[in-house]
Amino acid sequence: MRPNVVVSVLAFGGIIVSLMQTLVIPLVPVLPGLLGATPGDTAWAITATLLTAAVATPTVGRLGDMYGKRRMLLFSLAVLVVGSVFCALATSLVPMVIGRALQGLAAGVIPLGISIMRDVLPPERLGGATALMSASLGVGGALGLPSSAFIAQKADWHTLFWVAAALAATAAVLVRTLIPDSGFRTGGRFDLLGSVGLSIALFLLLLAISKGSEWGWGSGVPGAMLAAAAVVLLVWGWWELRTPRPLVDLRVSARRQVLLTNAASLAFGFSMFAMSLVIPQLLQMPEATGYGFGRTILVAGLVMAPNGLVMMAMSPVSARLSRAMGPKTTMMVGALLVALGYGLSLLLMSAVWQLMIASTVIGAGVGLAYGAMPSLVMAAVPRSETAAANSLNTLMRSIGTSTASAVAGMFLAGMTMSVGGEVLPARSAFTLVLGMGGLAALAAFAIAAFLPTRRVAPTDPAGGERAAPTGAATARST
């Protein structure tokens, strides 16, 4: 086994999955005409992916711990291929939404990849490898926008999904042939009731967050869904504390290091996505607004591309800083960089290059922080909980991004101005959302300050069982 090959293949898979976040953004304005549906209905092409990703992430993580992480990784990539083909063949709304929902089910690839790294890589390579894998969540999203915009402008829109299917199939073949199976299994019976309960709670929570502005927060529907989600979560928590093999070990999740890391991850998810929502819109707003630049979505994507590249470049820096000063310090430095980037974005909004600098600084901070998160989580959980714990951490980031989308949408729709008879968001709305992104980064910094200074690696539980290692896994010692 060659560590560089393992890291490259798993990071490639993570980037492919995260590409799904921005794959359809260039199509959003034209989807109603392409699919013969209303704008409200075609919004489900984005919402469906969000919901299924939230449901799948913790479930696939637990199944990976129980029955094999590599096996579940291959399953996730196979589902991504099928979902992409569904979308590539779609000519109406229903198959498109089904395909996008299937694409969302592959969201567990990144936490599974991090967990595989813990099993098969030598300790001296683990920090940098997991930092790169964790950063792929942001890298794919940043690079996906210009790539998908270019393809959508130059070819038939179905080509986007054929390319996605080909990339996912390539990743699956590489994983099948080059990634070893560690043979580590916890065994036991899957917590089906826990999975169903958490899925219902997440569905209600994220549906209320993502659709609240569209339905109207005053209508009572989003509030009722949030209340129902809270009740289901309470019942689910009661069950998880009493079942012998829970979907999520709440006692482990309540450990100070895990709990605070997940809380900081939620704040980082909000902070990162606020920038991803605002800057592309600023670039595309008409110049007649007085603050817009009137650029195409392709140009907006190219301006955002350095953000993703810097995230990737900061992965080894994150690992080195974590080794020297601890992942707590790395996360705090990352949070300060993100806050600095938002401060720059509020001061430098008069030229395209200024927005590029601000987004790049934010990307550097996100790369540092995202690289530290797996180290913090894995240092506080036993090996038998690795995939489930990393999946929960990824879920927290996703909830943060969903909340950012809902909050930004509410303010951008509520604070408007009229330009040439067209109602557009006012400059103050964008300034407010950027300011909230900076405050979220400072909140993440404050949360990270309470993390334990020293990491104490947990011992593996006595109940974990190891299957006979494969030849590839045995080669780890060579």
Side-chain angles (χ1 to χ4, degrees), residues 443-464:
F445 174 85
I447 294 169
F450 290 96
L451 283 165
T453 302
R454 292 186 177 183
R455 297 183 302 159
V456 180
T459 57
D460 287 341

Side-chain angles (χ1 to χ4, degrees), residues 300-321:
L302 291 173
V303 170
M304 295 297 293
N307 171 276
L309 296 174
V310 167
M311 282 188 205
M312 182 177 292
M314 293 304 290
S315 297
V317 178
S318 176
R320 286 195 292 270
L321 185 58

